[in-house]
């Protein structure tokens, strides 16, 4: 007596592929030209298709349908692969690819340091004061060194400017590229000891060979060096790329190279940033505002009126919700995804606010505009502001277009 399996084998041609997890009601057939065929039972075939079992009909499936199949669970795209594709498409050059890769490496190192801060005794104040007159946390100093070293070792940066440094630093050994990179190595460092989200922010400008030999580590600048410093300062509209890395429950690397905003999440299993969100678009409006209302009494009356109106339930009966982390990266990331507005205004103590134009406001404004949002100082586009000094501060209002424009009307 012939077994059922043997009988099936004698009846079924070798080019029929069966899946053990599926019933015979749906089969995949490949002919000699490897054309994908969709087969279903209970339907008779024409007699000309004698090689197909009775009761099964086959229909050719177009290659387009095959290509639109959903990606498998293990099919991922890393930041490295994504950058290489952008390079192949001519969006960026090889030098910029290397610079961005070195920044991602710095972010991985800082993420590890942040997660191990309390274990490795890296919490608390370093004992020094930065150029802003702020007490430096231990991780501020370490993160700045990590970021600087990664950029130097890339061999593609000419000048690097850090929020923690007095003046920009020229990179002596640059093989090519000579990109200008500005960065805040650890934003929101006051949150470190409480394990609240922090982040790194960066912006990349076109190569500039004019001042490589003039800038040193000397904090006192003569007229020539001061000119050179000013030439490093460029409006945000000149940015080639900008991004941030948020160190929170997930390590998220958000990047724009001028063709939309993309988010990559660090996968601890692979040790790689993996693409998780493409072409992020901020909602046109929102119901969340993020301001430090502890300074309310120090604000001018126009801004107070704006905040008071946000709290008014109005006809809808639903006032805006207040959300404030105290970390620009954390507050901005939430605003980018959910919409609304983030603000750090000027007040009676800080005439120009506290956020730095070069390291924070311009890169974040570039990102939000690429996502369809808006960045303003309350009166003009942040990306149009020409810096007149390295550590210049400006007020910042950033988020959904409708929300920022509403605020500008109040401040006009």
């Amino acid at each position: 007596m012939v077994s059922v399996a043997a009988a099936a084998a004698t009846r079924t041609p070798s080019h029929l592929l069966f899946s053990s997890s599926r019933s015979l009601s749906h089969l995949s057939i490949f002919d000699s030209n490897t054309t994908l065929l969709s087969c279903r039972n209970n339907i008779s075939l024409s007699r000309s298709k004698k090689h197909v079992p009775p009761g099964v009909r086959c229909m050719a499936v177009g290659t387009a349908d095959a290509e639109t199949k959903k990606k498998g669970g293990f099919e991922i795209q890393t930041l490295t692969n994504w950058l290489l594709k952008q390079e192949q498409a001519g969006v960026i050059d090889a030098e910029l690819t290397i610079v961005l890769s070195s920044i991602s490496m710095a972010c991985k190192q800082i993420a590890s340091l942040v997660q191990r801060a309390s274990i490795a005794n890296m919490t608390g104040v370093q004992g020094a004061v930065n150029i802003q007159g702020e007490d430096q946390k231990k991780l501020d100093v370490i993160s700045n060194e990590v970021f600087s070293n990664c950029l130097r070792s890339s061999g593609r940066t000419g000048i690097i400017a850090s929020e923690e440094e007095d003046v920009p630093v020229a990179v002596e050994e640059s093989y090519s590229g000579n990109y200008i990179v500005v960065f805040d190595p650890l934003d929101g460092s006051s949150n470190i000891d409480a394990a609240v989200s922090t982040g790194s922010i960066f912006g990349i400008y076109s190569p500039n060979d004019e001042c490589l030999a003039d800038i040193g580590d000397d904090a006192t600048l003569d007229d020539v060096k001061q000119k050179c410093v000013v030439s490093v300062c460029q409006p945000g509209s000149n940015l080639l790329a900008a991004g941030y890395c948020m160190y929170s429950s997930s390590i998220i690397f958000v990047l724009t190279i001028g063709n939309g905003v993309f988010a990559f999440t660090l996968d601890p299993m692979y040790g790689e940033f993996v693409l998780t969100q493409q072409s992020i678009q901020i909602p046109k409006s929102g119901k969340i505002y993020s301001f430090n209302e502890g300074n309310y009494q120090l604000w001018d009356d126009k801004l107070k009126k704006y905040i008071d109106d946000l709290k008014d339930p109005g006809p809808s009966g639903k006032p805006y919700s207040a959300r404030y982390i105290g970390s620009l990266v954390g507050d901005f990331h939430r605003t980018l995804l959910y919409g609304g507005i983030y603000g750090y205004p000027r007040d009676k103590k800080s005439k120009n606010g506290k956020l730095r134009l070069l390291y924070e406001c311009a890169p974040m404004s570039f990102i939000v505009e690429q996502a369809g949002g808006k960045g303003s100082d309350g009166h003009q586009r942040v990306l149009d502001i020409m810096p007149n000094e390295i550590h210049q501060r400006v007020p910042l209002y950033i988020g959904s277009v409708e929300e920022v424009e509403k605020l500008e009307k109040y401040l006009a």
Side-chain angles (χ1 to χ4, degrees):
M1 181 177 180
V2 181
S3 66
V4 175
T10 59
R11 293 197 307 269
T12 306
S14 59
H15 52 263
L16 284 178
L17 303 181
F18 293 90
S19 171
S20 59
S21 61
R22 294 185 180 182
S23 67
L24 297 185
S25 63
H26 189 279
L27 310 177
S28 292
I29 299 179
F30 293 88
D31 64 14
S32 58
N33 294 320
T34 66
T35 302
L36 181 62
L37 302 173
S38 176
C39 308
R40 296 188 183 278
N41 62 1
N42 299 326
I43 303 176
S44 62
L45 279 172
S46 65
R47 293 180 181 177
S48 61
K49 307 243 178 182
K50 294 179 181 179
H51 63 282
V52 181
V56 179
R57 184 181 67 179
C58 302
M59 298 177 294
V61 178
T63 54
D65 293 337
E67 289 174 359
T68 56
K69 283 182 66 179
K70 193 173 181 179
K71 290 184 178 180
F74 294 97
E75 196 170 344
I76 62 174
Q77 183 172 185
T78 66
L79 174 61
T80 302
N81 292 338
W82 186 84
L83 288 172
L84 290 174
K85 286 184 178 179
Q86 302 306 308
E87 183 186 332
Q88 290 170 352
V91 181
I92 57 177
D93 59 25
E95 282 74 22
L96 188 53
T97 299
I98 294 172
V99 172
L100 289 168
S101 295
S102 69
I103 290 174
S104 72
M105 176 58 70
C107 292
K108 288 180 188 178
Q109 293 183 49
I110 295 171
S112 178
L113 291 168
V114 168
Q115 290 173 335
R116 300 189 67 254
S118 58
I119 299 171
N121 194 29
M122 288 185 290
T123 56
V125 177
Q126 173 75 11
V129 176
N130 66 11
I131 187 63
Q132 316 297 331
E134 302 163 335
D135 290 329
Q136 287 181 308
K137 297 279 187 177
K138 291 178 182 178
L139 268 180
D140 278 325
V141 178
I142 298 170
S143 298
N144 184 63
E145 187 174 349
V146 168
F147 224 100
S148 298
N149 287 342
C150 284
L151 289 171
R152 284 191 177 97
S153 65
S154 74
R156 300 298 188 275
T157 51
I159 298 174
I160 58 177
S162 168
E163 181 186 329
E164 301 296 331
E165 302 284 351
D166 295 349
V167 295
V169 176
V171 180
E172 296 177 1
E173 298 179 2
S174 181
Y175 304 109
S176 62
N178 290 333
Y179 286 95
I180 298 170
V181 183
V182 296
F183 61 93
D184 179 355
L186 195 60
D187 168 74
S189 56
S190 60
N191 288 325
I192 291 172
D193 295 357
V196 178
S197 63
T198 54
S200 300
I201 308 170
F202 64 90
I204 303 174
Y205 291 91
S206 298
N208 187 330
D209 299 328
E210 296 178 6
C211 306
L212 293 182
D214 296 332
I215 302 179
D217 295 328
D218 189 359
T220 60
L221 302 177
D222 57 25
D223 291 341
V224 176
K225 291 182 178 179
Q226 185 62 41
K227 272 186 183 179
C228 181
V229 167
V230 173
S231 75
V232 174
C233 295
Q234 301 182 44
S237 55
N238 288 356
L239 280 164
L240 297 177
Y244 60 85
C245 188
M246 184 175 68
Y247 314 117
S248 185
S249 56
S250 295
I251 311 302
I252 301 176
F253 188 88
V254 176
L255 173 66
T256 179
I257 52 175
N259 63 348
V261 180
F262 299 80
F264 302 81
T265 303
L266 184 63
D267 188 333
M269 184 168 69
Y270 300 115
E272 292 280 356
F273 283 109
V274 175
L275 180 63
T276 48
Q277 289 176 286
Q278 302 187 54
S279 302
I280 298 172
Q281 286 290 302
I282 186 172
K284 295 296 183 184
S285 62
K287 284 294 183 180
I288 297 174
Y289 72 96
S290 184
F291 287 69
N292 182 2
E293 292 190 77
N295 295 324
Y296 180 87
Q297 295 300 330
L298 302 176
W299 295 340
D300 63 41
D301 292 338
K302 291 180 179 179
L303 183 59
K304 288 180 181 178
K305 179 70 167 63
Y306 168 75
I307 294 296
D308 291 342
D309 285 354
L310 293 185
K311 296 177 180 180
D312 185 355
S316 68
K318 293 181 180 180
Y320 278 59
S321 297
R323 299 284 187 272
Y324 187 73
I325 298 171
S327 164
L328 172 59
V329 170
D331 283 310
F332 176 82
H333 189 69
R334 182 198 57 248
T335 304
L336 180 66
L337 299 182
Y338 302 153
I341 184 170
Y342 169 88
Y344 207 115
R346 60 167 53 94
D347 56 42
K348 293 177 182 177
K349 288 195 306 181
S350 304
K351 300 298 183 182
N352 294 310
K354 292 190 70 175
L355 298 179
R356 290 79 176 175
L357 173 61
L358 205 58
Y359 313 107
E360 296 165 317
C361 301
M364 289 305 205
S365 294
F366 185 52
I367 294 168
V368 82
E369 286 197 9
Q370 286 293 314
K374 187 171 184 177
S376 171
D377 70 348
H379 303 283
Q380 64 176 320
R381 180 177 178 236
V382 168
L383 296 184
D384 290 337
I385 301 175
M386 180 67 190
N388 51 40
E389 58 179 274
I390 292 296
H391 297 290
Q392 180 177 342
R393 301 173 191 255
V394 296
L396 178 65
Y397 305 99
I398 194 167
S400 301
V401 169
E402 292 182 9
E403 303 304 331
V404 175
E405 289 179 349
K406 183 191 300 182
L407 176 133
E408 288 178 326
K409 290 178 182 177
Y410 276 82
L411 299 183

